[in-house]
Amino acid sequence: MIGRDGWAGLVVLAASLVLFALTLRLEDSPLVPIGPGFYPRIVLGATALLAAWMVLADLLAARRAAPRAARVRRNYALVWLMFAAFGLYVGTLAYLGFRIATLLYVAAVNALLDRPRGARGWARVAVVALATTAAVYVVFERELSVLLPRGRWTDF
Amino acid sequence: MKILPAVACALAALVSAAASAAYPERPIKLIVPWAAGGDTDVIYRTFAPLMQKQLGGTIVVANVGGASGTKGAKEALAAPADGYTIFAVHDSIHATYYTGVADVNYTDFEPICLVSSTPSIVTASPKTSWRDMKALLADAKARPGQITVGATLGSTSHFFPAMVEQATGVKFKYVSYEGTAPRMNALLGGHVDLAESNLTQKGKADAGQLRFLAIATATRNDEIPNVPTLKELGIDVEYAVNRGLLALKGTPADALARLRAACGAAARDPGFAEAMKKQGTLVRYLDHDAYAAFLRKEDGLNKALAKELGLLKR
Amino acid sequence: MFELLGAGLAGMLQLKYLAPLAIGALVGVVGGAIPGITITMTVIVVLPFTFGLEPLQGLAAMIGVYVGGETGGLIASCLLGIPGKPSAVATTFDGFPMARKGEPGRAIWLGIWASIFGGLLGAIVLIAATEPLARFALQFGPWEYFSLFILALSMVAGLVESSLAKGLASGALGCVVTILGNDPVLGRERLTLGIPWLEGGIPFLPVLIGVFAFAQIMSDVEKMGGAASAEQALDRGVSLAVSHARVLWDILSRPFVLLWCSFIGLVIGVLPAIGGSAANMLAWDQAKKFSRHPEKFGTGIPEGIIASESSNNANVAGSLVTIMAFGIPGDAVTAVMLGALTVHGIQSGPLFISQNAQIAYGMFAAYILAHAIVLAILLLGVRWMLRIVVVPRSILFPVVLVLCTVGAYALGNAMASVYVLLVFGVAGYAMVKVGFPLAPFILGVILGDQIEVNLIRALMTNPDPWLFLTRPISGLLLGAAVLSIAAALWQHHRQRRRMAAAGAGDADF
């Protein structure tokens, strides 16, 4: 029977072997006597060996069939939603521009983590989103001259 | 409700910049393709505020270092040609193109102006026995291929010692040390014997932490009158790193004109010359036409050089 | 040296530097006090602000966060029994019982004063040791650096609680991240896997930000919507009044605990990449071992609090020594500082202190002054801290994540870093779920390129690979690396035999 560590080891092993195969195609460079594939092959070789060790250790370890009693109920749906929101935010940042994307993102996450109830709730979401976006924008772009992304579609 | 005015303020802050005005209506990004604190960075961090004053807009220096300066060049090329991205270039763009490090060429850009020129100096580690260039050459002849030179491979700090090699018939061994600062660390610790540097390192040379052997200019420099030129020593090499500004091809004409005018005025600012003197750098202003001709000439020279050195890859 | 330090202190007292330092300290105290917000995360949030500041202003802010965070962490530890951060875990052992026994003020102020003393003892070593160490580090060629990095990786991997194989694999995976996209020697593309934003290679800061921020926030999110959290149990009317003279006597009458635990914190800090989370546990354990009444530890005695809190602040000084002398981060916080230095073009490494004396002594001054400021903040505002501890997560998390995004973007002014942030945010959470330790992974990402560059440099200078063993310092360092792995193997073996049955631990940062 293979456990969590074993599967993780197998995934790492497979990935490092694939990358190792890719390094064999790297050409040597004219200026450096040692090619760009030299170090990656060492690292990937080591990774593959360690992953194999993990798999072996997992196979040899005595299975403890002790289901932990008081398991914390974990809200994975919320985690997925959070990642999805962040993915959307990052994905649209370059197109909508920092100000629009951030406004939407902060509003979405605030609503996700604390479901708004009634008009007051939605007002809170709007205020949090607006205040955060405005503060970040003013502080960085105006005060600190740190440029923030502009929207390719909106030019805003 | 007290919250309404706050919301209104927030909205106003967000939207105010949208009202469009004449160029430049928002900050211009100046991509410096080297790490902050390097020679190029220091020069442009001095230059940008002066140019900003002329332009009436903000210029933000963005360091996009790495890959012998080609990472920043790629980054600049990927930006829209709207005049809000300009690129701080130096001679290495020709070198990296011909040695095959990157595909970016100067012809992908539109010249704004040439700003400065920094002459190169042959610099030795204090742990070596060479007091002067002659001792170095004698030792190099006796031990071909054993004297180590720290260099950003395929870039100016590689080309300059390679030209010395060629003029004198010696053979060095190159070790990759990208950027002036790591190179100077390695010289100080004696981990390499030799490297290219410039007058910015004068303090360390005075303190005996580095040894200037010869400068690659036509005449001696006033700051270091006792360092001979390579020409005096019968080595026909003159070399300097020239830095200028480029805009993207297709930048609107009015923006380009504003940039060129601002660049020229800033380069002629006496404060800039003063600051550059401390950097061991000469202000060398060329307007865009002269700079275009200069770039063409440099490009030809670099190609020939790469070929002669056996590094030409295209 | 003293003139420089004097100049540094005088300079730091200017509003220009004092303001960021004080704000940093305040943010640090608050961040440290909120359970679930680590100092790493606080410093990540502060990072983008430093881009627009002068280098020393930015560093002052970060040092303020670091010192403030180490001190602020004890508030939650004592009052809630929940450590505000991993380096205050041992503070809960005695701090919480003492608070429960009706002496919350004594517990907190014992911790605060012990932090201040530990930090200032650390400052002495920081100032005295950095320059000689830097001079020593100048002798390091590429061979020595290569071996030092290998030693750092093997030590961190060996410290991992779960399994050595996982710790080492985690470190190796970190190095794998650095081989993707770009070859650091010539800058050519390699192994880009056809992904355009990988072409420039993967910068370490977005990876670090993504891994730490998401691993932490998502681990909190998954527990949301469940049972009422402990914060609500907090009695806001609690009185923290205490006689400071008595607390000071409590500490100064136990000089051995204070000195020995500060020393442990310092040494752990100087060792590359082992953070305060190890220091406070080790210090508490040591104080217990050397005590005449070890059975009282854990019941709420002053020694326990002093041990934990003096060690974690001294640990900060130790980490600063390592980063200033060698340019190697002692933990994730100093890794972010290293990133800030690089953004400002300051080459950390052995020449840092001599070439940037003004900044280096400014940092020393900031470190010393930060303690005074933190003390002032707590004297004035310890009551309000109780309120801040319960700030709603629904506001905190989006703000933190937006600031992480700004930080990643502003780093290279490119979206590529933001995509890296997203990818490694997911990866970081996945690693926590699968039980891969994060510390060795991050260290691998930070050091990977440097390991390669130094390996290639060494071989370009002299193709003889035996030099790694025959050069004395390099050989010693590699020997130490092998020893640390052997020690870890032995330790794990012993542990497994001793406790054959025990549940899997929680994620460790």
Side-chain angles (χ1 to χ4, degrees), chain A residues 62-80:
Chain A
R63 290 270 137 242
R64 290 190 301 263
R68 268 173 296 160
R71 248 194 133 91
V72 191
R73 202 178 64 83
R74 291 181 193 271
N75 193 347
Y76 287 114
L78 195 56
V79 172
W80 281 115

Side-chain angles (χ1 to χ4, degrees), chain C residues 32-169:
Chain C
I34 301 174
I37 302 284
T38 54
I39 303 172
T40 311
M41 200 130 102
T42 318
V43 101
I44 285 171
V45 165
V46 170
L47 173 74
F49 294 95
T50 66
F51 292 156
L53 300 172
E54 264 180 42
L56 189 51
Q57 287 177 309
L59 288 166
M62 289 189 161
I63 289 174
V65 170
Y66 205 171
V67 173
E70 287 295 356
T71 313
L74 66 90
I75 297 175
S77 298
C78 292
L79 296 185
L80 304 177
I82 304 169
K85 60 196 157 58
S87 55
V89 172
T91 313
T92 58
F93 298 167
D94 280 294
F96 190 48
M98 184 184 277
R100 291 278 289 271
K101 281 196 277 183
E103 291 185 301
R106 185 172 174 224
I108 285 189
W109 282 104
L110 265 174
I112 294 172
W113 282 108
S115 290
I116 305 283
F117 284 125
L120 292 178
L121 283 171
I124 298 172
V125 177
L126 169 65
I127 294 162
T130 304
E131 207 159 2
L133 260 178
R135 224 170 296 134
F136 174 63
L138 207 54
Q139 297 174 17
F140 277 37
W143 300 271
E144 286 75 24
Y145 273 111
F146 174 83
S147 306
L148 181 63
F149 297 147
I150 297 292
L151 170 63
L153 267 180
S154 61
M155 273 197 319
V156 177
L159 272 180
V160 167
E161 311 247 322
S162 50
S163 88
L164 183 63
K166 262 185 177 172
L168 288 171

Side-chain angles (χ1 to χ4, degrees), chain A residues 4-5 8 22 29-30 34 36 39 47 50 53 74-76 82-83 86 90 105 110 114 140 144 146-147 149, chain C residues 48 52 165-166 168 172 176 188 190-191 214 218 222 224 394 401 405 409-410 419 422 429 433-434 448 452 459:
Chain A
R4 185 190 66 174
D5 285 11
L22 286 176
S29 52
I34 305 134
Y39 172 75
T47 313
L50 290 166
W53 178 11
R74 291 181 193 271
N75 193 347
Y76 287 114
M82 283 283 286
F83 270 124
F86 191 72
V90 167
Y105 173 70
N110 185 250
D114 190 359
F140 283 100
L144 295 172
V146 172
L147 297 184
Chain C
K166 262 185 177 172
L168 288 171
V176 169
R188 300 224 179 155
R190 87 178 163 197
L191 306 175
F214 282 90
M218 292 308 179
E222 68 185 25
M224 280 174 83
S394 60
L401 288 177
T405 311
Y409 178 80
Y419 301 137
L422 172 65
Y429 179 66
K433 286 281 115 184
V434 187
E452 170 163 19
L459 293 176

Side-chain angles (χ1 to χ4, degrees), chain B residues 29 36 173 176 185 191 204, chain C residues 140 200 345 351 355 413 457 461:
Chain B
K29 180 154 117 185
K173 177 173 3 178
S176 162
N185 275 0
H191 308 302
K204 273 174 235 152
Chain C
F140 277 37
L351 286 182
Q355 280 180 1
N413 286 286
R457 267 180 200 161
T461 312

Side-chain angles (χ1 to χ4, degrees), chain A residues 4 14 20-21 46 63 87 105 110 120 122 133 138 144 153 155:
Chain A
R4 185 190 66 174
F20 194 95
R63 290 270 137 242
Y105 173 70
N110 185 250
R120 276 190 81 86
W122 287 107
T133 312
V138 169
L144 295 172
W153 292 341
D155 197 32

